[in-house]
Amino acid sequence: ADTQKPKVILHPGTSRFAAFKRWPIQNFVELARRLRSQQISVAMSYGPGEIELFRTAKAAVPDLIEIDGPSLGLLGLGQAMRQADVVVAADTGPLHIAAGVGTRVVALFGPKDSKLYGPRGEGHLVLQHDVPCRPCKLRTCPSPQCVLGIQVQQVEHAVGELTQG
């Protein structure tokens, strides 16, 4: 049996422009806790201006591994993501970088149509909470239930599926 535990990278950020597509950092923290309790090594990557997201998570999950996107640049981020088994991210650039380097992704989709904007390639899982108003083209939303409705346990289950397979 392979004793090397799967490595999971969480990427909680999105562009500021798309901040309403974010899955709450508290959910990422809870997911990291659950994965760590299964002895899965977990890293968190962040982009420019997003270090606070990492600091919030690191305070709650001290052994969270840091992937400093701004220092690494896009190619370095791609290399880091290639070494992981699964990347969990919203509908954002790093999600597509991960898929592009061949890493399986759990895509947390909110307002956009995942058929158009979802990750390319095989073996990915797209999670979305179905609400009557999606897909939508709004640039902001007072209550984005499409993304807020995704439950931590659904994401944990999806990660488990991809690390098993």
Side-chain angles (χ1 to χ4, degrees), residues 64-125:
L64 196 61
I65 301 157
E66 178 175 5
I67 298 176
D68 177 346
S71 309
L72 288 172
L74 290 179
L75 286 175
L77 186 61
Q79 283 167 337
M81 287 179 160
R82 186 188 287 141
Q83 290 159 18
D85 291 352
V86 178
V87 172
V88 179
D91 169 17
T92 183
L95 173 80
H96 299 289
I97 291 172
V101 298
T103 299
R104 290 173 164 192
V105 299
V106 176
L108 309 177
F109 255 75
K112 294 281 183 256
D113 185 345
S114 59
K115 287 184 188 60
L116 286 178
Y117 300 104
R120 301 285 173 249
E122 295 300 305
H124 306 304
L125 287 174

Side-chain angles (χ1 to χ4, degrees), residues 6-93:
K7 293 185 294 298
V8 177
I9 296 175
L10 310 178
H11 188 89
T14 61
S15 67
R16 263 189 214 84
F17 180 62
F20 79 102
K21 295 195 281 193
R22 285 183 187 177
W23 200 48
I25 188 65
Q26 286 69 29
N27 291 4
F28 277 104
V29 166
E30 177 60 24
L31 178 62
R33 278 203 185 105
R34 291 181 185 204
L35 296 173
R36 289 299 302 125
S37 74
Q38 301 167 47
Q39 312 310 297
I40 294 171
S41 65
V42 181
M44 182 172 282
S45 55
Y46 56 88
E50 295 172 352
I51 192 164
E52 282 313 315
L53 294 173
F54 173 75
R55 287 188 181 133
T56 299
K58 178 89 175 164
V61 186
D63 54 5
L64 196 61
I65 301 157
E66 178 175 5
I67 298 176
D68 177 346
S71 309
L72 288 172
L74 290 179
L75 286 175
L77 186 61
Q79 283 167 337
M81 287 179 160
R82 186 188 287 141
Q83 290 159 18
D85 291 352
V86 178
V87 172
V88 179
D91 169 17
T92 183

